[in-house]
Amino acid sequence: MVIGFAHRGSPGRLQRENTLPAFRRALAAGANGLESDVWLTADGIPVLRHDAALGPPGPRRRRVTSLRREALPGWIPSLAELYQDVGWGYDLSLDLKGHPAGMSTTDAVNAALAAARAAGGTAAVTRLWLCGPLSELRAWRRIDSDVRLVNSTSAAEVARHGGGAAYAAVLRAAGVDALNLRAREWAPARAGIVADLHAAGVAAFGWDAQSTATLRRLRGYGLDGLYSDRLQRLVDVTAAPPMPQEPPARKAPSSPGSARDG
């Protein structure tokens, strides 16, 4: 099954992203995954929002991490409120964005895990995908053995480690469950990385996949998860049978006498 992560839910007309209505709408339309960014408030509550600050530019603008939960607008949901509203029967991808001074990313991981376990125990945690750099994922794995970990990185980083097979082995050794590259980095020449990842037991994800053609191409490569803002396209492609992509045909080498003089 391919996971279709609805990026920041699916906001409707005149509707904010990363809100409970947006997440409800995405699931109602058939998405089997949701995506959001997470910030810890000053009192340690994980809330779902993309931007770091609130308010108009100027002295009244405040960072989410400097405010207590009750000081935030009601339309910004906490992670616990998301689970209370729509349950946990879907895959949830979270980018841990920031935390207050005096707290750490470890506190954010623990807060997210606590919300998932309160909602559905281990079953909910195994459908929670925490995204981050490899340097942090190693520490997160020591915190919990059930949560899914996603390495959001670049093709250049994969190449720096020696290519797909070598990097897949690194991820496997670190207890990472998936590699996530931007859609445009999943070029035909890199499609073979998917097989390397799968051989190591690591999933392949692609983010910023917006057009139907891109979604179909990545699905054809065998990717296991796709992130998109285009809800209906995402649902249509992830629900359809995969269409394997043929490798580009190689041109036959020309013989010395085959070319005509111009």
Side-chain angles (χ1 to χ4, degrees):
M1 182 184 69
V2 176
I3 305 171
F5 291 106
H7 188 235
R8 306 179 195 173
S10 179
R13 182 175 174 80
L14 303 179
Q15 186 182 80
R16 292 184 173 95
E17 61 188 16
N18 284 327
T19 61
L20 295 181
F23 293 127
R24 281 190 224 115
R25 183 171 180 267
L27 294 176
N32 57 5
L34 299 175
E35 184 277 345
S36 183
D37 301 316
V38 176
W39 302 83
L40 276 192
T41 61
D43 49 342
I45 305 299
V47 295
L48 310 180
R49 176 172 168 78
H50 176 69
D51 296 332
L54 285 165
R60 295 179 58 191
R61 191 164 178 80
R62 303 288 301 279
R63 291 186 63 84
V64 172
T65 55
S66 71
L67 300 170
R68 295 180 63 84
R69 172 69 183 106
E70 62 265 23
L72 295 177
W75 47 265
I76 298 180
S78 69
L79 179 56
E81 289 166 345
L82 173 67
Y83 281 126
Q84 291 165 8
D85 192 73
V86 297
W88 54 267
Y90 51 89
D91 289 276
L92 177 61
S93 176
L94 299 178
D95 278 323
L96 305 183
K97 289 293 189 178
H99 50 78
M103 295 187 188
S104 67
T105 306
T106 297
D107 295 308
V109 172
N110 283 325
L113 289 171
R117 288 197 182 279
T122 300
V125 173
T126 58
R127 301 197 71 171
L128 178 62
W129 301 81
L130 300 183
C131 305
L134 182 58
S135 57
E136 293 189 358
L137 295 179
R138 290 189 174 97
W140 298 358
R141 178 51 72 210
R142 292 192 290 270
I143 295 173
D144 189 273
S145 60
D146 297 316
V147 68
R148 308 296 187 180
L149 300 181
V150 182
N151 178 211
S152 298
T153 188
S154 66
E157 183 68 6
V158 175
R160 191 177 70 81
H161 279 77
Y167 198 63
V170 170
L171 294 179
R172 185 63 176 174
V176 175
D177 299 283
L179 169 70
N180 190 20
L181 297 180
R182 193 167 194 163
R184 67 187 182 204
E185 292 204 285
W186 284 112
R190 298 193 185 102
I193 296 176
V194 178
D196 294 329
L197 292 168
H198 288 171
V202 179
F205 289 175
W207 63 278
D208 193 24
Q210 308 300 354
S211 71
T212 298
T214 297
L215 288 162
R216 286 177 176 168
R217 177 172 60 83
L218 300 188
R219 178 83 196 275
Y221 290 166
L223 267 66
D224 308 282
L226 302 173
Y227 295 79
S228 181
D229 300 306
R230 304 294 186 173
L231 176 62
Q232 196 55 55
R233 296 174 188 175
L234 178 69
V235 171
D236 289 345
V237 171
T238 54
M243 298 176 62
Q245 299 291 309
E246 295 293 334
R250 294 183 178 179
K251 293 182 179 180
S254 58
S255 61
S258 61
R260 295 182 178 181
D261 293 334

